Amino acid sequence: MAELATIARPYAEALFKAAGPHAQALVGQMGQLAQVAGNADLRQFADNPKASTAEVVDLVIRAAGTDLDAKVANLVRAVVENGRLAALPEIAGQFKAHVNAQAGSSDAVIHSAFPIEGEALAEVVAALEKRFGRRLNPRVEVDPELIGGVRVVVGDEVLDTSVKARLEHMKVALTA
């Protein structure tokens, strides 16, 4: 959603600048907060006019389950005070994108019909890094509908070498 991206941008940039060289250490905490903020019950509680800002902030921080860095806790406070809790997952995503850009890497989601681990994953990642021209942080998701091959999503780029995609291309070619 473009609106959430617009709302999230200044928060993500502010945290990235405040964290400086320690930004990588905060990625995990932001990911946990994104999951917490995605909880519908928590957002309903936060939207309740009877719940004070301090109560909501305390609940979000406790639900994250770890000792949050002071900069991250301040971000949570600012987000809740401004009624932007729904934007927290997008803030976390944009923050991670800043950290990745600083490190010269990108997140890659590798959809595969079968689990890929160990040496096979290393080989796939090496080939993908060559193809995309940057270091990748891979995450494998098993999707049996692909039948075989892989579908890789790196940012807004997609490389689909799955059997399912090839069958779709053949279907289009035959019906054209």
Side-chain angles (χ1 to χ4, degrees), residues 132 134 153-158:
F132 287 101
R134 57 188 172 270
V153 180
V154 179
D156 61 353
E157 296 177 75
V158 178

Side-chain angles (χ1 to χ4, degrees), residues 93-124:
Q94 288 189 22
F95 177 74
K96 188 167 185 184
H98 283 298
V99 171
N100 284 345
Q102 180 185 41
S105 65
S106 296
D107 290 334
V109 181
I110 303 170
H111 300 272
S112 173
F114 305 98
I116 305 173
E117 298 173 348
E119 194 174 310
L121 179 60
E123 289 176 15
V124 169

Side-chain angles (χ1 to χ4, degrees), residues 43-115:
R43 287 210 312 259
Q44 184 179 7
F45 175 76
D47 291 340
N48 185 340
K50 292 182 181 179
S52 71
T53 301
E55 289 174 328
V56 175
V57 168
D58 184 52
L59 180 62
V60 170
I61 290 174
R62 281 187 302 139
T66 61
D67 293 328
L68 293 181
D69 184 272
K71 293 170 186 65
V72 175
N74 286 338
L75 173 77
V76 170
R77 207 167 286 110
V79 166
V80 171
E81 286 174 356
N82 293 319
R84 305 290 194 201
L85 187 61
L88 198 51
E90 180 66 24
I91 294 169
Q94 288 189 22
F95 177 74
K96 188 167 185 184
H98 283 298
V99 171
N100 284 345
Q102 180 185 41
S105 65
S106 296
D107 290 334
V109 181
I110 303 170
H111 300 272
S112 173
F114 305 98

Side-chain angles (χ1 to χ4, degrees), residues 106-114 116 120-121 123-143 146 148-163 165:
S106 296
D107 290 334
V109 181
I110 303 170
H111 300 272
S112 173
F114 305 98
I116 305 173
L121 179 60
E123 289 176 15
V124 169
V125 170
L128 291 172
E129 286 177 342
K130 191 177 214 181
R131 163 73 169 77
F132 287 101
R134 57 188 172 270
R135 203 172 84 239
L136 299 176
N137 306 320
R139 186 178 86 231
V140 178
E141 293 185 4
V142 177
D143 183 2
L146 295 179
V150 294
R151 180 175 182 270
V152 182
V153 180
V154 179
D156 61 353
E157 296 177 75
V158 178
L159 174 64
D160 196 344
T161 62
S162 68
V163 173

